[in-house]
């Protein structure tokens, strides 16, 4: 685990809606965390969630510097499920991970979901993504009433 520089945990954190100028920082952090460069995804995510008001795209700043992001929306179309807030992307700069920035982002998006009238927050995480799984469980998330199913669409490969 990356150790925080001295005093970094004591710096104030600002959570705010993402702006177009945040997208390169979000994209860079996501690439750093996932190993995948997704410029089209992040440009589209900002248009869809940051500009349209259809979702929530928040960033955290600490000491005037980008520190993390979270992205989600309220959805109600999965097989008759009630409206729920879905969190589908988040990340915090590795050197700031022990400063509760992710918790602040999580709390902020949940507050926004509540303001939109929903009672549940949901997310999906790979079973081998221990960092994010541990974080989400620490926020109080548990297995829900739905089971995620999938199949391979490549010819001749499983499914």
């Amino acid at each position: 685990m990356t150790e925080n520089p001295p005093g970094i945990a004591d710096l104030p954190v600002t959570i705010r809606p993402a702006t177009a100028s945040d997208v390169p920082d979000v994209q860079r952090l996501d690439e750093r965390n996932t190993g995948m460069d997704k410029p089209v995804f992040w440009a589209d995510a900002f248009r869809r969630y940051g500009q349209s008001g259809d979702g929530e795209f928040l960033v955290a700043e600490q000491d005037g510097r980008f520190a993390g992001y979270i992205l989600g929306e309220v959805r109600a179309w999965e097989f008759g499920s009630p409206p729920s807030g879905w969190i589908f992307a988040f990340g915090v700069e590795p050197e700031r991970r022990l400063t509760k920035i992710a918790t602040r982002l999580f709390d902020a998006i949940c507050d926004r979901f509540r303001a939109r009238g929903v009672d549940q927050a949901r997310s999906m995480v790979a079973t081998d993504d221990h960092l994010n799984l541990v974080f989400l469980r620490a926020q109080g998330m548990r297995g829900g009433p739905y089971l995620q199913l999938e199949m391979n669409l490549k010819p001749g490969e499983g499914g």
Side-chain angles (χ1 to χ4, degrees), residues 9 24 45-46 88 97 101 107 123-126 131 139 143 147 154:
F46 178 71
F88 45 84
R97 283 190 184 147
I101 289 172
D107 290 346
S123 193
M124 185 169 58
V125 62
L131 179 67
Q139 303 314 302
L147 179 63
K154 293 181 183 177

Side-chain angles (χ1 to χ4, degrees), residues 1-17:
M1 176 84 39
T2 304
E3 209 170 294
N4 292 321
I8 198 168
D10 299 323
L11 296 173
V13 176
T14 301
I15 308 293
R16 61 171 175 75

Side-chain angles (χ1 to χ4, degrees), residues 120-123 133-145:
Q120 294 286 321
R122 294 188 167 122
S123 193
L133 184 58
V134 167
F135 169 74
L136 291 171
R137 289 186 61 83
Q139 303 314 302
M141 297 190 95
R142 301 290 180 260

Side-chain angles (χ1 to χ4, degrees), residues 82-95:
S84 299
W86 277 88
I87 298 168
F88 45 84
F90 60 90
V92 172
E93 294 285 2
E95 66 275 8

Side-chain angles (χ1 to χ4, degrees), residues 34-103:
T34 67
M36 295 181 279
D37 186 22
K38 302 178 278 201
V40 173
F41 171 84
W42 287 110
D44 182 58
F46 178 71
R47 277 190 302 279
R48 186 170 176 190
Y49 304 107
Q51 289 178 317
S52 73
D54 288 341
E56 302 295 343
F57 195 156
L58 304 174
V59 297
E61 289 180 329
Q62 193 178 40
D63 198 27
R65 296 179 52 210
F66 172 82
Y69 67 91
I70 196 164
L71 182 65
E73 70 177 335
V74 172
R75 299 193 310 218
W77 46 263
E78 291 89 0
F79 297 97
S81 70
S84 299
W86 277 88
I87 298 168
F88 45 84
F90 60 90
V92 172
E93 294 285 2
E95 66 275 8
R96 296 174 187 268
R97 283 190 184 147
L98 298 177
T99 62
K100 303 221 179 274
I101 289 172
T103 297

